[in-house]
């Protein structure tokens, strides 16, 4: 028997990859422990800062356990960002589908097999798709995760059934570019999968991790609106609200087409987004255009990513905007985001909603607004919003 720990950095897809490794080692009879024989660090490389943090986490992990596996996006990055780590660190540069097997093969199986693992949260992330075939000029993800590919719909539904049986009440369908989801054999696109997933007994809420604006189709919106278990939250990356910057990024839409697809959803969906600040061609006017689109689209939450050039991408050698300007624009966006989310929360005061409590005292309501409630984790509860604070909606 080997003891192990798994840590991940980065996005929800990295979380599902870490989960797959963890479950595979548990199924092979190994035991999870903080200071185990093996440490696995699932790394991220989406920005320079993410690589720095991944390298730091890997070198910290290498202090005690005899074996450390450094895996996923950072490990697949051109230039071998983890080359200088101690000799007990092994870099596993494999596709996500192969990583758990590679580590499990190295660790070996025991005769004592744990059939199931109970995850510790009310929310489970279920990967339905990996990779991306879009090639945005700044993005390293297609280089480290490969082209888009999808899981079979039947396998996804089976995993959701298993998560619900484990006690999870909410499932987040997760992928790098969810709208590319296809199960050609079953004839399923994303909206078909959502409809099938929503029929799983005992599932209280179903959410999409994020969706590119080109994939916010009429068929998708119709399915989301017609399916009660689907959360009224959509995360639709904008990256910039300026057409010149969007062109330089090789994004596949304009500010106007983003607004055309997303604008009509602002009343019944809570809309959040990603924005890159300080892209090489972003001047003050372009940044102003981003602020206008955010306002017009009714976006209530912005994940801000200060631009950093990534190796192997089209813009790898370009970084014209000074760090101080990136910092200033980031602060402006974060303030806009905070004000917009509090404004949405205020509009809910007096109304009732179902909050799924994630950990004692805190959960999320139907549109993914945070609710502060006096209840233990696990059960959904109907609550009335009585006030707001900087952390969320205070519920009675
Ligand atoms: S859509 Fe663009 S930004 Fe998103 S993962 Fe694909 S290449 Fe990267």
């Amino acid at each position: 028997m080997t003891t192990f720990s798994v840590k991940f950095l980065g996005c929800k897809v990295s979380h599902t990859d870490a989960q797959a490794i963890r479950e595979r080692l548990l199924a092979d009879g190994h035991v999870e422990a903080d200071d185990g024989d093996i440490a696995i660090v699932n790394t991220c490389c989406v920005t320079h800062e993410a690589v720095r943090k991944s390298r730091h986490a890997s070198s910290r992990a290498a202090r005690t356990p005899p074996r450390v596996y450094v895996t996923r996006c950072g490990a697949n990055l051109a230039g071998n960002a983890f080359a200088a780590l101690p000799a007990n660190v092994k870099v596993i540069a494999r596709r996500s589908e192969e990583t758990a097997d590679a580590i499990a093969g190295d660790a070996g199986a025991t005769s004592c097999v744990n059939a199931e693992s109970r995850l510790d949260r009310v929310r489970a992330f279920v990967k339905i798709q990996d990779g991306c075939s879009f090639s945005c000029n700044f993005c390293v993800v297609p280089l480290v995760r490969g082209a888009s590919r999808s899981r079979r719909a039947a396998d996804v539904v089976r995993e959701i059934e298993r998560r619900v049986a484990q006690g999870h009440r909410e499932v987040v369908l997760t992928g790098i570019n969810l709208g590319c989801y296809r199960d050609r054999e079953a004839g399923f696109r994303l909206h078909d999968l959502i409809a099938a997933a929503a029929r799983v007994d005992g599932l209280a809420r179903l959410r999409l991790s994020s969706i590119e604006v080109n994939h916010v189709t009429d068929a998708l919106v119709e399915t989301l609106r017609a399916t009660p278990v689907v959360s009224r939250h959509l995360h639709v990356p904008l990256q910039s609200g300026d057409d010149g910057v969007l062109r330089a990024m090789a994004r596949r839409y304009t500010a106007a087409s983003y607004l055309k697809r997303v604008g009509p959803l602002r009343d019944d969906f809570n809309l959040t987004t990603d924005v890159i600040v300080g892209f090489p061609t972003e001047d003050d006017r372009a940044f102003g255009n981003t602020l206008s689109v955010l306002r017009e689209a009714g976006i209530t939450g912005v994940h801000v990513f200060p631009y950093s050039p990534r190796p192997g991408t089209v813009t790898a050698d370009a970084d014209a905007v000074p760090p101080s300007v990136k910092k200033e624009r980031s602060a402006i966006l974060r303030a806009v985001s905070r004000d917009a989310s509090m404004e949405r929360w205020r509009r809910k005061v007096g109304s009732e909603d179902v909050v799924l409590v994630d950990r004692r005292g805190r959960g999320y309501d139907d549109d993914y607004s945070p609710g502060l409630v006096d209840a233990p984790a696990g059960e959904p509860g109907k609550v009335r919003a009585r006030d707001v604070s900087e952390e969320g909606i205070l519920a009675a």
Side-chain angles (χ1 to χ4, degrees):
M1 181 191 76
T2 309
T3 52
F4 71 94
S5 64
V6 183
K7 181 180 173 60
F8 82 97
L9 293 96
C11 64
K12 295 174 178 99
V13 181
S14 177
H15 178 112
T16 61
D17 291 340
Q19 186 174 292
I21 297 166
R22 177 177 179 261
E23 292 189 309
R24 173 61 200 270
L25 292 178
L26 288 170
D28 281 357
H30 304 301
V31 172
E32 205 163 14
D34 278 344
D35 293 311
D37 307 310
I38 294 178
I40 295 120
V41 184
N42 236 28
T43 57
C44 175
C45 65
V46 77
T47 59
H48 179 73
E49 181 61 9
V51 174
R52 192 193 62 75
K53 284 186 181 160
S54 296
R55 204 183 295 114
H56 181 68
S58 305
S59 79
R60 268 183 75 105
R63 282 186 202 153
T64 32
R67 262 182 298 169
V68 176
Y69 295 103
V70 170
T71 69
R72 294 308 316 129
C73 290
N76 285 278
L77 183 69
N80 197 357
F82 300 92
L85 290 175
N88 60 337
V89 175
K90 188 166 177 178
V91 177
I92 307 273
R94 298 281 194 99
R95 281 159 61 99
S96 58
E97 294 89 336
E98 302 160 354
T99 303
D101 276 356
I103 294 171
D106 224 57
T110 70
S111 52
C112 151
V113 171
N114 293 326
E116 259 312 354
S117 68
R118 168 72 170 92
L119 303 177
D120 50 1
R121 293 209 136 191
V122 77
R123 183 179 313 131
F125 297 97
V126 173
K127 182 157 76 173
I128 66 167
Q129 179 276 345
D130 203 340
C132 181
S133 306
F134 272 22
S135 309
C136 299
N137 283 344
F138 56 85
C139 185
V140 76
V141 171
L143 303 177
V144 295
R145 285 201 171 262
S148 177
R149 64 248 181 224
S150 304
R151 289 176 69 196
R152 292 177 56 233
D155 292 343
V156 172
V157 171
R158 252 194 305 278
E159 180 173 347
I160 294 173
E161 286 167 350
R162 189 158 64 88
R163 296 296 176 210
V164 170
Q166 286 173 327
H168 297 287
R169 306 304 309 271
E170 175 179 1
V171 162
V172 183
L173 299 181
T174 301
I176 297 294
N177 196 336
L178 281 191
C180 290
Y181 181 83
R182 300 277 181 287
D183 178 343
R184 293 186 198 285
E185 217 174 293
F188 269 35
R189 290 184 172 233
L190 181 61
H191 60 275
D192 304 303
L193 182 68
I194 292 169
R199 287 194 287 272
V200 171
D201 262 356
L203 181 66
R205 191 169 289 158
L206 183 68
R207 207 153 55 77
L208 301 183
S209 60
S210 97
I211 182 93
E212 288 292 320
V213 69
N214 316 60
H215 296 139
V216 181
T217 59
D218 291 347
L220 179 73
V221 172
E222 210 174 288
T223 304
L224 298 176
R225 285 198 168 124
T227 314
V229 84
V230 169
S231 162
R232 293 294 181 263
H233 167 244
L234 279 180
H235 186 83
V236 189
L238 172 65
Q239 309 304 10
S240 170
D242 180 78
D243 287 345
V245 173
L246 288 170
R247 253 192 321 276
M249 287 176 165
R251 299 288 288 171
R252 300 174 174 205
Y253 52 87
T254 60
S257 59
Y258 184 93
L259 285 168
K260 192 169 171 217
R261 292 205 184 204
V262 165
L265 306 177
R266 60 182 292 169
D267 287 337
D268 52 347
F269 285 85
N270 179 21
L271 300 169
T272 58
T273 197
D274 297 329
V275 170
I276 294 174
V277 287
F279 188 76
T281 56
E282 184 189 74
D283 55 16
D284 285 344
R285 192 193 47 79
F287 180 66
N289 287 340
T290 299
L291 293 175
S292 304
V293 172
L294 292 173
R295 222 178 2 255
E296 222 180 302
I299 301 290
T300 65
V302 185
H303 294 177
V304 182
F305 295 90
Y307 170 81
S308 67
R310 308 311 303 128
T313 62
V314 173
T315 58
D317 296 325
D319 194 9
V321 178
S324 59
V325 175
K326 288 180 191 167
K327 203 168 162 191
E328 195 188 326
R329 290 180 188 160
S330 298
I332 293 170
L333 278 180
R334 289 191 184 107
V336 163
S337 174
R338 192 186 52 241
D339 291 351
S341 55
M342 287 191 72
E343 177 51 35
R344 185 171 179 97
W345 302 343
R346 266 188 219 106
R347 289 204 302 270
K348 292 183 172 210
V349 170
S351 66
E352 280 194 338
D353 206 333
V354 173
V355 171
L356 259 178
V357 182
D358 205 25
R359 57 188 138 94
R360 185 163 189 105
R362 189 183 171 87
Y364 290 90
D365 70 13
D366 183 48
D367 75 4
Y368 201 49
S369 298
L372 308 174
V373 291
D374 187 17
E379 285 310 302
K382 203 168 210 184
V383 292
R384 181 175 292 278
R386 62 173 171 80
D387 205 350
V388 299
S389 77
E390 294 252 321
E391 276 77 48
I393 299 168
L394 301 163

